[in-house]
């Protein structure tokens, strides 16, 4: 036995389209870490890092509802700030 394994990275999501509507969940969350086995001294594994989301859409024809992970800074407004989804006008 031993320590639990670490969770996987959230990966990357890239959406490029002139018209975009998201109403559910768009998530690049990392996976949960594994649990250590019974009767062992190791600890649980750590969670995986959050992934990245990039959206390239006509900002006038973009609707982002529901849940986006990592969290949006300001809906369908162009954004290049680290830690938030990257959003640019289509076709960039």
């Amino acid at each position: 036995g031993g320590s639990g394994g670490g969770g996987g990275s959230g990966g990357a999501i890239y959406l490029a389209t002139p018209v975009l509507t998201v109403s559910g969940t768009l998530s690049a969350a990392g996976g949960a870490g594994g649990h250590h086995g019974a009767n062992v001294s190791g600890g649980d594994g750590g969670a995986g890092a959050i992934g990245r989301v990039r959206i390239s859409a006509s900002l006038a024809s973009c609707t982002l509802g529901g849940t986006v992970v990592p969290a949006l800074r300001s809906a369908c407004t162009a954004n290049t700030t680290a830690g938030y989804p990257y959003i640019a006008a289509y076709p960039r």
Side-chain angles (χ1 to χ4, degrees), residues 46-78:
I50 196 163
R52 303 290 180 256
V53 173
R54 178 182 172 141
I55 296 170
S56 177
S58 171
L59 302 181
S61 299
C62 177
T63 303
L64 296 174
T67 303
V68 179
V69 178
L72 294 168
R73 183 160 188 207
S74 182
C76 286
T77 304

Side-chain angles (χ1 to χ4, degrees), residues 1-9 31-37 40 42-48:
S3 300
S9 168
H35 296 291
H36 69 281
V40 297
D44 291 344

Side-chain angles (χ1 to χ4, degrees), residues 76-92:
C76 286
T77 304
N79 180 65
T80 59
T81 304
Y84 296 94
Y86 177 96
I87 300 176
Y90 182 82
R92 291 187 223 145

